[in-house]
Amino acid sequence: MRSRTDALERLAPLWEEPAASPRWVIWHRGGAESLVFDREFNMPLDVELDVDEATLGEVIRRIRAAGAPETDAYPGCPCG
């Protein structure tokens, strides 16, 4: 079983300074649900499958502190 520290280290690129326009966006999907959206792959990042709720909250806190944009609207491109 992975420790919280291992998960945070593995996900550290999410809150590093972007080289160009931000790849990562905090997407608020109604209610209290927030996801990390990957603009490069045009999909939500599956961090919530690998980590517990407390770690996901810490990931989102660190991304927010790094200045990632936040939106209630879909942050990706239309599919198709």
Side-chain angles (χ1 to χ4, degrees), residues 2-79:
R2 295 179 184 164
S3 73
R4 181 175 181 195
T5 302
D6 292 340
L8 289 172
E9 286 177 11
R10 182 174 50 84
L11 297 168
L14 297 176
W15 52 84
E16 290 177 355
E17 281 289 321
S21 64
R23 174 178 176 178
W24 312 107
V25 176
I26 300 171
W27 179 25
H28 304 288
R29 284 188 38 177
E33 182 180 23
S34 293
L35 302 173
V36 178
F37 192 90
D38 183 343
R39 287 182 169 169
E40 182 176 322
F41 290 108
N42 200 39
M43 60 187 277
L45 189 66
D46 287 335
V47 296
E48 61 272 359
L49 297 177
D50 294 345
V51 298
D52 60 32
E53 190 172 320
T55 304
L56 178 59
E58 180 64 12
V59 167
I60 290 175
R61 186 194 70 74
R62 290 181 185 202
I63 293 170
R64 184 176 284 131
E70 299 189 44
T71 185
D72 293 332
Y74 179 71
C77 300
C79 296

